[in-house]
Amino acid sequence: MTDDLPELLAGLAFLLGTWRGVGRGTFPTIDGFDYGEELSFTYHGEPWLAVDQRAWSLDDEVTLHMERGFLRPVPGSTVELVLAHPIGVAEVAHGTLTGTTLEVSTDPGLAARSETGLEVSELRRRYEVVEDSMRYRIDMATAGTALTEHLSADLRRVT
């Protein structure tokens, strides 16, 4: 799976594949909830990884959220994450890669949104992989709420 990766992507090879598990959502303005999730990182022959995410209700498997985008390494240990959300938010985040830990965040106040999109003003993500287990956390700020934990999950590599 990693033999044909360009040198620039070598540090991100640990993410390749499909990860699946259960997460917990919290935010000051909502009731907490559990959800199922699948997150995939795939290589398509160019110096970036495609990112596909889907979260669903554990009760009835109805889709709760999806994200589509790209993880782009920059020479050194810097990365860029570009994601589109169906809630009318476009996320452009920058960050660092340290071993098998990826941390990215948007610039405060600069998460883009459509005219009717959710008023997200900042997002911060941390993905940590140990062998075939991934733990992640996403913090979010909105127009009325300071940056706080929103999602966290434990995922296992399934492919």
Side-chain angles (χ1 to χ4, degrees):
M1 180 189 289
T2 61
D3 291 342
D4 59 345
L5 281 179
E7 180 71 26
L8 188 58
L9 287 175
L12 296 173
F14 71 96
L15 291 170
L16 287 170
T18 300
W19 305 80
R20 193 174 177 103
V22 175
R24 178 81 180 148
T26 61
F27 205 65
T29 58
I30 63 172
D31 292 332
F33 61 96
D34 295 322
Y35 61 94
E37 178 162 11
E38 185 171 284
L39 176 61
S40 295
F41 294 89
T42 53
Y43 173 60
H44 295 273
E46 295 293 328
W48 42 262
L49 298 181
V51 181
D52 292 296
Q53 180 272 351
R54 182 176 85 86
W56 60 87
S57 166
L58 292 174
D59 295 330
D60 54 17
E61 297 192 18
V62 169
T63 298
L64 300 173
H65 185 74
M66 297 174 74
E67 299 171 353
R68 300 285 185 262
F70 305 96
L71 181 59
R72 301 164 21 102
V74 178
S77 60
T78 304
V79 294
E80 300 171 344
L81 179 66
V82 179
L83 293 173
H85 302 247
I87 57 173
V89 173
E91 178 179 353
V92 178
H94 308 274
T96 58
L97 175 65
T98 306
T100 59
T101 300
L102 174 67
E103 296 183 89
V104 296
S105 60
T106 62
D107 292 331
L110 294 181
R113 71 182 192 93
S114 66
E115 186 176 318
T116 60
L118 187 67
E119 293 187 31
V120 174
S121 57
E122 185 177 359
L123 290 157
R124 183 179 302 152
R125 296 169 180 263
R126 184 176 199 278
Y127 300 90
E128 183 177 12
V129 174
V130 176
E131 297 177 5
D132 285 334
S133 294
M134 176 187 289
R135 172 109 178 113
Y136 81 77
R137 175 179 164 154
I138 299 174
D139 296 345
M140 181 173 73
T142 64
T145 305
L147 190 66
T148 189
E149 182 175 344
H150 177 45
L151 303 168
S152 63
D154 291 306
L155 309 176
R156 302 277 306 165
R157 188 188 314 267
V158 295
T159 64

